[in-house]
Amino acid sequence: MGEKRYVCSVCGYVYDPAKGDPNNNIPPGTKFEDLPDSWVCPVCGASKDQFIEE
Amino acid sequence: MTFKAVEIAKDVYWVGAIDWPLSDFHGYTTYRGSTYNAYLVVGDEVILVDTVKKHLFKEMVKRIASVIPLEKIDYVISNHAEMDHSGALVELLKYAKPKAIIASQMGAKNLKMQLHNLPEITVVKDGEEKILGGIKFKFIETRMLHWPDSMFTWLPEREILFSQDAFGMHYAVSKIFVDENDRHTVEWEMAYYYANILMPYSNLVLKLLERVEALGIKPKIIASDHGPIFRGNDVTWAIQLYRKFALQEPSKRAIIVYDTMWGSTELMAKAIADGIVSEKVEAVLLPLSKTKRSDVATEILYSGAIIVGSPTINNTLFPSLADVLTYLFGLRPQNKIGAVFGSYGWSGEATKQLVEYLEKMKIPIIGEVKCQFVPDDEKLRECFELGVKVARELKNICGEKQNG
Ligand SMILES: [Fe+2]
Ligand SMILES: [Fe+2]
């Protein structure tokens, strides 16, 4: 439990590993580090490297 | 003197510019031009909220000068870094020497990358309050509504909300308030603007409306950056409209977006529409030979189904469909169902490509009709049946919504 959450530095969206990103086929429980490199912020489209640890 | 300011509330002036001839706003067809609204708040000090497009700098300056000399401006607040609101800033700084230019964190970043040689920008945090000229200003970040830098400026004592592009519309008017203009036109232009600018961020719009309520913000005036200003009961009306737009609830209305080479795909479109209408559901044909992409955006906002048709030309779908579907993909319409159709001569790749577009947009596809060359009666019957199927599905969805 308690995997780290990451915030998009562009739009403020929070990636919560507990929730994942089901709309984009990322199941709950997926760690931020395990997101594919092609994954982008579902709100603003920013790439993974724009995210910072909460 | 020409170009005067308009007092919209005590000590608060509209000092924007009217772009009557504007017909194209980055690909968005503006039938009624636009305005770029800048506002001047005159307390013990003078605060300018947003500016205008670069080429209308002089108009704004004259309106400001009708209230106070330019050099009296103490602060400039940039609610939105996009150049229709920041474009005149660099020019302004040649004549005015404000103590601070105020923007959100992303605003400071985005302004610097668009307007080079800006002085240091004062960053305000989400929810931060400042007393400027004896008047309280509260800054509320509205990230991605519709840019990362966007924010609201709220004057709690005056109950005025400066909302930048939110609640805006491209509508050039000489009468500054919504209640002085034709309401149907205002509503249409609001929907048109919402569909083309804010639709992708509908979830955030709903969250923001909740947050505004939770913060106890009940504006007497909403002054956006484009078009006329809301006051009195129009404020509630505008907020309700935005809630409706943002919910994107499906309606019993289907749009048929198509293009045609020799009239066959068009015939199919008409037969599908006939099937839809036979089920007492509204059908709207949008031939791309005459429909602007920005109009398709509004039509989809108002509809529950999108049916797309394309002939196949050199093994590919028609370019006009690729244009509109690329645009719609970015706008992320929600709660729609779809169908595809098209006529072809020998290979017929277009319908498959249309399916791919809709799948990418996560729109469930109800059916597909392909026709080699010209549709005969049997093929038209098939099109009619597709229309019936889509209409029944729509009624199903809308019925469920009403009962649930
Ligand atoms: Fe904008
Ligand atoms: Fe704008």
Side-chain angles (χ1 to χ4, degrees):
Chain A
M1 59 159 278
E3 282 302 339
K4 280 179 202 128
R5 306 190 336 154
Y6 280 74
V7 186
C8 174
S9 66
V10 177
C11 74
Y13 164 84
V14 179
Y15 177 77
D16 182 351
K19 289 183 191 152
D21 179 12
N23 289 331
N24 294 297
N25 307 317
I26 305 294
T30 309
K31 287 185 209 166
F32 183 79
E33 299 77 49
D34 294 339
L35 290 169
D37 288 339
S38 59
W39 183 83
V40 294
C41 172
V43 175
C44 74
S47 55
K48 240 183 113 176
D49 56 5
Q50 306 262 35
F51 278 71
I52 38 178
E53 228 183 282
E54 195 179 47
Chain B
M1 207 181 65
T2 50
F3 301 124
K4 286 209 161 55
V6 182
E7 190 168 16
I8 61 163
K10 189 177 165 286
D11 308 324
V12 181
Y13 300 84
W14 175 83
V15 290
I18 311 179
D19 197 349
W20 295 100
L22 180 77
S23 59
D24 186 310
F25 188 90
H26 60 51
Y28 169 148
T29 302
T30 51
Y31 297 105
R32 295 183 177 88
S34 193
T35 73
Y36 313 108
N37 299 337
Y39 301 97
L40 199 68
V41 183
V42 183
D44 305 332
E45 293 175 299
V46 178
I47 301 98
L48 177 68
V49 182
D50 289 326
T51 70
V52 299
K53 250 190 195 173
K54 200 175 175 182
H55 79 284
L56 293 167
F57 169 72
K58 282 188 177 159
E59 184 176 331
M60 175 186 76
V61 159
K62 285 185 177 177
R63 293 191 201 276
I64 295 171
S66 76
V67 183
I68 46 113
L70 228 51
E71 58 267 26
K72 292 267 188 206
I73 295 173
D74 295 291
Y75 302 96
V76 179
I77 296 170
S78 169
N79 278 332
H80 180 21
E82 196 165 8
M83 281 184 282
D84 48 336
H85 310 298
S86 66
L89 191 53
V90 172
E91 193 71 9
L92 180 78
L93 294 177
K94 291 181 188 163
Y95 308 93
K97 293 280 169 273
K99 294 173 200 162
I101 300 169
I102 297 168
S104 66
Q105 181 205 330
M106 292 306 293
K109 218 165 140 186
N110 286 353
L111 281 169
K112 279 183 218 158
M113 288 189 282
Q114 291 174 92
L115 314 166
H116 306 131
N117 311 318
L118 276 182
E120 199 52 45
I121 293 166
T122 306
V123 171
V124 282
K125 289 207 189 76
D126 184 31
E128 191 171 329
E129 292 181 354
K130 270 186 191 301
I131 308 285
L132 305 173
I135 298 167
K136 193 190 268 182
F137 286 73
K138 190 182 174 82
F139 306 98
I140 297 151
E141 277 193 1
T142 63
R143 285 199 189 192
M144 299 320 293
L145 295 173
H146 70 114
W147 273 21
D149 46 76
S150 304
M151 69 174 187
F152 282 173
T153 293
W154 165 239
L155 271 50
E157 299 139 343
R158 308 298 176 101
E159 299 170 293
I160 298 172
L161 181 68
F162 297 111
S163 63
Q164 34 91 22
D165 282 340
F167 301 106
M169 67 202 93
H170 287 311
Y171 184 12
V173 288
S174 53
K175 291 173 179 169
I176 200 80
F177 287 103
V178 164
D179 55 44
E180 300 172 305
N181 291 283
D182 177 63
R183 185 158 303 269
H184 285 104
T185 309
V186 169
E187 183 170 340
W188 190 86
E189 288 292 352
M190 275 179 82
Y192 191 36
Y193 192 89
Y194 185 92
N196 283 280
I197 305 288
L198 290 148
M199 185 154 65
Y201 311 109
S202 288
N203 280 335
L204 296 178
V205 169
L206 291 173
K207 277 190 197 154
L208 178 65
L209 293 178
E210 270 174 37
R211 187 169 172 221
V212 162
E213 217 178 289
L215 286 169
I217 295 177
K218 288 198 185 76
K220 272 192 183 144
I221 288 179
I222 295 181
S224 85
D225 273 358
H226 296 288
I229 296 166
F230 302 89
R231 65 178 169 191
N233 292 334
D234 286 342
V235 168
T236 321
W237 178 67
I239 292 172
Q240 278 167 353
L241 267 181
Y242 257 49
R243 186 164 286 128
K244 191 184 98 181
F245 296 154
L247 283 170
Q248 296 194 56
E249 283 181 351
S251 67
K252 281 185 258 177
R253 187 172 188 274
I255 54 170
I256 304 174
V257 183
Y258 71 94
D259 216 327
T260 198
M261 288 171 72
W262 291 101
S264 294
T265 303
E266 184 159 70
L267 253 180
M268 297 172 80
K270 289 176 114 172
I272 294 167
D274 220 37
I276 294 168
V277 173
S278 76
E279 287 289 316
K280 306 231 168 1
V281 167
E282 189 184 356
V284 181
L285 262 69
L286 299 171
L288 292 181
S289 54
K290 58 159 274 200
T291 312
K292 304 289 184 189
R293 71 170 83 93
S294 46
D295 280 319
V296 179
T298 322
E299 295 293 347
I300 202 172
L301 177 69
Y302 278 132
S303 304
I306 172 167
I307 304 169
V308 283
S310 173
T312 297
I313 180 166
N314 302 324
N315 309 90
T316 308
L317 88 166
F318 222 60
S320 55
L321 268 302
D323 176 320
V324 163
L325 290 170
T326 302
Y327 187 60
L328 289 182
F329 170 69
L331 292 175
R332 301 187 228 164
Q334 302 295 314
N335 308 325
K336 312 296 171 198
I337 57 170
V340 306
F341 66 100
S343 152
Y344 64 98
W346 49 96
S347 57
E349 287 86 351
T351 44
K352 187 171 158 270
Q353 291 169 0
L354 291 175
V355 165
E356 285 165 8
Y357 269 103
L358 293 190
E359 281 175 347
K360 226 172 82 174
M361 293 164 75
K362 303 194 171 76
I363 294 177
I365 296 161
I366 302 301
E368 178 182 341
V369 180
K370 270 173 88 165
C371 171
Q372 194 160 16
F373 286 112
V374 180
D376 58 11
D377 283 346
E378 198 185 319
K379 195 49 94 174
L380 289 176
R381 188 78 218 162
E382 213 182 305
C383 292
F384 182 93
E385 290 306 331
L386 176 64
V388 169
K389 205 172 159 195
V390 170
R392 285 186 182 158
E393 185 62 26
L394 264 186
K395 286 199 281 192
N396 215 342
I397 294 167
C398 295
E400 274 170 23
K401 280 263 167 189
Q402 276 150 22
N403 300 335

